[in-house]
Amino acid sequence: VTICFCAWQWSRAAGARAIVALAVAALFGGLIGSIQVLPSIEFFADSARAIWTPEHALTFSLSPFNLVQLWTPFAFRFRVFAPGEDAIVHEFIVYNGALCTIALAWIALRWQAITHRKLVVALLALALLGLWLAFGKYGGLYPWLARLPVLSGFRAPARHIVLFQFALAGLAGIAFEDLARLVTSGARVELRRLWPIAVPVALA
């Protein structure tokens, strides 16, 4: 998220001054945090994570079937679809509010009027990346990452859902901003143009 945010800010910066300031801040932040690096390396080397196989790293992968939660969070008997995984429901929750799903339809309908289209594209890219990582063994990307040093000691790729939910929250904010601007301007929208919003409602 930090790298994506910095890239977004970089694309909007008028000059190199802000980028240099950011690099200096990152350097000092790294130096402050480096006091914890050696103890962390030592602890990692003595833990079970140091001998994990790629299969261990791929546990808690998010099945793509869980995306149905965006329309109906109780579609499955136990709320999530996680075959072969421990029944820890909260690790596989994709749903983060019906308004985030409706916001996607709203932005699609109002695309020409949205004032932050570049930010929408950036947030959609972040959402897709978050999902791709969260899919773990189902997505094809994480199995490659799980073979890299250090990263092989991590697991539960489903936790990348937080990136997806973070991006959807941003998109919902943009939709609300557009709705507020529409209301305060006194403009009218023909009801017949809003029919696509009925699609996710009907699916739910």
Side-chain angles (χ1 to χ4, degrees), residues 93-183:
I93 296 295
V94 178
Y95 179 75
N96 63 336
L99 288 176
C100 288
T101 304
I102 295 296
L104 294 174
W106 180 269
I107 290 173
L109 286 172
R110 297 269 302 159
W111 180 250
Q112 294 301 324
I114 296 292
T115 56
H116 305 289
R117 288 195 291 269
K118 290 183 178 179
L119 181 57
V120 169
V121 172
L123 287 172
L124 284 173
L126 178 61
L128 291 174
L129 175 62
L131 274 182
W132 195 10
L133 291 170
F135 286 156
K137 63 184 178 183
Y138 301 104
L141 173 63
Y142 210 88
W144 289 91
L145 296 178
R147 297 179 183 278
L148 297 177
V150 179
L151 294 183
S152 61
F154 298 149
R155 70 166 186 165
R159 292 173 184 168
H160 288 91
I161 295 172
V162 69
L163 302 180
F164 175 73
Q165 294 175 335
F166 179 83
L168 281 194
L171 291 169
I174 291 173
F176 270 110
E177 187 267 349
D178 179 64
L179 178 60
R181 186 165 47 84
L182 188 66
V183 171

Side-chain angles (χ1 to χ4, degrees), residues 66 69 73 76-82 88-90 92-94:
N66 285 293
Q69 295 175 36
F76 301 109
R77 181 181 178 185
F78 299 107
R79 292 202 63 185
V80 299
F81 182 77
I88 303 178
V89 173
H90 69 269
F92 305 99
I93 296 295
V94 178

